[in-house]
Amino acid sequence: MHQTDTAQLTAPGVPRQAVAPTGLSPSRAGDFMTCPLLYRLRVIDRLPEPPSAAATRGTVVHAVLERLFDHAPAERTPERALGLLRPQWQRLLSERPELAGLFPDDEDGSAVARWLGDAEKLLAQWFRLEDPTRLHPVERELYVETVLGSGLLLRGYIDRVDVAPTGEVRLVDYKTGRAPSRDFEGKAMFQMKFYALVVWRWKGVIPRRLQLVYLGGGGDVVTYDPDEADLLAVERKLEALWEAISSAVATGRFPATRNRLCDWCDHQASCPEFGGTPPPYPLPVLTGPERGPADPAGPGGPARPNELKSDESNKES
C-alpha cells in the first residue's frame, strides 16, 4: 500500500492530540513552503481531512503496482494488474470503512465502477511507460530515515528502488496526476532529491538517477541525475526550513499564504484568507520582546517560505 502521512488518513470528526513536530517528510516540507498555516493545521493541530476520490484512487494504484512485482517477470501483465485492482480496493475498504462514503447513494455500484475504470486507465498508462518484465526492484514502498548532523530527522517512503548489476541506484516514484510544466519540474523533483539525500546520508551512496513516472494526462517519465553539490544544497535548504519551522513552533506564528492550491484546501474554515479563524494554538509559546505574542494568523514572523524556495540549486532551470 502506498504510504501517506497520517494527517490525510484520519477519519472526519476524529479528534487527535496536538503534537510538536519531530522531523520532516517531503510532504510536510512542501506544506510549510506552500503555506505555514497549512503545515500547522496538519502537523500540530492534526485536523482531520476528508478522504478524496482522487487520492484514494492513487493509493489503490500504488498498491497494485507494488503487488505486481510479487509475481515473476513474465506474469507482470496488464491483465494481472487489472486482476489486482478490485481486491486491493476491497482490502483498503476493509481497513478504512469510511472510504465507502466517497460513493454515497451508489446502490448499483456504477460510481465505483467508473472510479475503478479511471484507475484501470492509469495502470494501462504505466505499461506504456515502463516494461515491468525488465524491471527487478530491490525494494518497494521502502521506508527510509536518517538524522543529519544537526539532529534533524528526515523520513519518507520511496515507491521503488532499482539497483543495476553495476550497483547504480535508481529511485522511482509514481504520480497519478499529470506531469507538471517545465516551470514546475524542479519543485516536483524536490521530493526525489529529499529521498536521495536520505539515502546518501543513510547508506553513503548517491543515487545515479531519480525518476518520476506520471500516469495522468498523456503520461510522462521525468528523470534527473543528482550529484553531491545538489544534495548538499538540498541539505542546506532543509536545515533552513527546519529552523524556520522550529521558530514558528516556538512563537505560534504560522501565517497563511494564499496560493494556487487554496481552492482544494480542506481547511478554509480555519484560514484568515477565507474569513476563517485558526483554532487556539495548542502548544506552549515563547513570549517576550524578542519573540512577541503568538499570532498564528498574522503576517510576518519567522516563517518565510518563499525565501526558502530559492535556496535550492536547480539544474532544470
Side-chain angles (χ1 to χ4, degrees):
M1 172 182 173
H2 181 52
Q3 300 291 338
T4 55
D5 289 281
T6 54
Q8 299 182 9
L9 295 180
T10 307
V14 177
R16 306 180 69 194
Q17 183 177 2
V19 295
T22 58
L24 275 178
S25 69
S27 297
R28 300 294 76 87
D31 284 347
F32 191 85
M33 290 187 290
T34 300
C35 174
L37 180 60
L38 174 62
Y39 173 92
R40 182 206 135 171
L41 296 176
R42 280 181 167 168
V43 176
I44 297 175
D45 298 275
R46 305 173 82 188
L47 296 186
E49 297 181 358
S52 74
T56 304
R57 182 171 54 235
T59 299
V60 174
V61 168
H62 275 78
V64 170
L65 295 180
E66 179 186 0
R67 299 298 192 279
L68 186 65
F69 287 102
D70 290 338
H71 299 276
E75 298 175 356
R76 299 170 191 166
T77 62
E79 293 75 21
R80 174 76 67 177
L82 294 182
L84 291 170
L85 182 59
R86 188 171 288 274
Q88 289 305 314
W89 161 236
Q90 292 298 327
R91 178 191 57 79
L92 182 62
L93 190 60
S94 67
E95 294 172 356
R96 299 179 56 203
E98 74 277 5
L99 293 177
L102 291 172
F103 308 102
D105 305 320
D106 186 32
E107 295 181 2
D108 62 356
S110 58
V112 171
R114 287 192 299 271
W115 180 78
L116 289 172
D118 290 337
E120 291 177 356
K121 294 176 184 177
L122 295 175
L123 291 171
Q125 185 78 276
W126 180 67
F127 279 92
R128 288 191 286 270
L129 297 171
E130 294 194 287
D131 180 359
T133 66
R134 301 171 61 88
L135 298 173
H136 303 281
V138 297
E139 299 286 355
R140 290 165 282 153
E141 291 295 334
L142 175 65
Y143 176 74
V144 295
E145 72 172 35
T146 193
V147 178
L148 302 182
S150 65
L152 171 58
L153 171 66
L154 304 179
R155 56 180 172 242
Y157 284 88
I158 303 174
D159 287 343
R160 197 179 83 219
V161 180
D162 301 332
V163 178
T166 55
E168 295 169 313
V169 176
R170 176 173 62 186
L171 308 184
V172 181
D173 194 78
Y174 309 120
K175 300 293 185 186
T176 50
R178 63 181 62 246
S181 66
R182 293 293 298 180
D183 292 339
F184 292 97
E185 269 187 19
K187 183 177 180 182
M189 192 58 71
F190 170 73
Q191 171 191 5
M192 302 306 292
K193 292 181 181 180
F194 182 110
Y195 292 143
L197 172 63
V198 174
V199 170
W200 180 36
R201 291 306 191 199
W202 177 34
K203 293 292 188 180
V205 176
I206 295 179
R208 176 67 179 83
R209 174 152 294 181
L210 310 177
Q211 181 167 303
L212 289 166
V213 182
Y214 289 95
L215 307 181
D220 199 5
V221 176
V222 178
T223 63
Y224 185 84
D225 297 341
D227 57 28
E228 184 172 324
D230 283 328
L231 302 189
L232 288 173
V234 172
E235 188 172 56
R236 290 192 298 271
K237 177 175 183 174
L238 292 174
E239 296 280 15
L241 180 63
W242 186 246
E243 182 178 351
I245 290 173
S246 299
S247 181
V249 170
T251 61
R253 293 180 178 177
F254 289 87
T257 303
R258 186 178 284 270
N259 61 83
R260 62 191 182 90
L261 300 178
C262 287
D263 289 345
W264 294 275
C265 183
D266 292 311
H267 302 297
Q268 292 184 7
S270 299
C271 179
E273 291 290 325
F274 292 87
T277 303
Y281 188 60
L283 298 180
V285 173
L286 296 180
T287 59
E290 73 284 358
R291 290 291 189 180
D295 184 12
R304 293 178 291 177
N306 290 330
E307 293 182 12
L308 292 166
K309 288 179 183 178
S310 63
D311 292 341
E312 179 184 357
S313 98
N314 183 356
K315 285 185 179 178
E316 289 89 355
S317 59

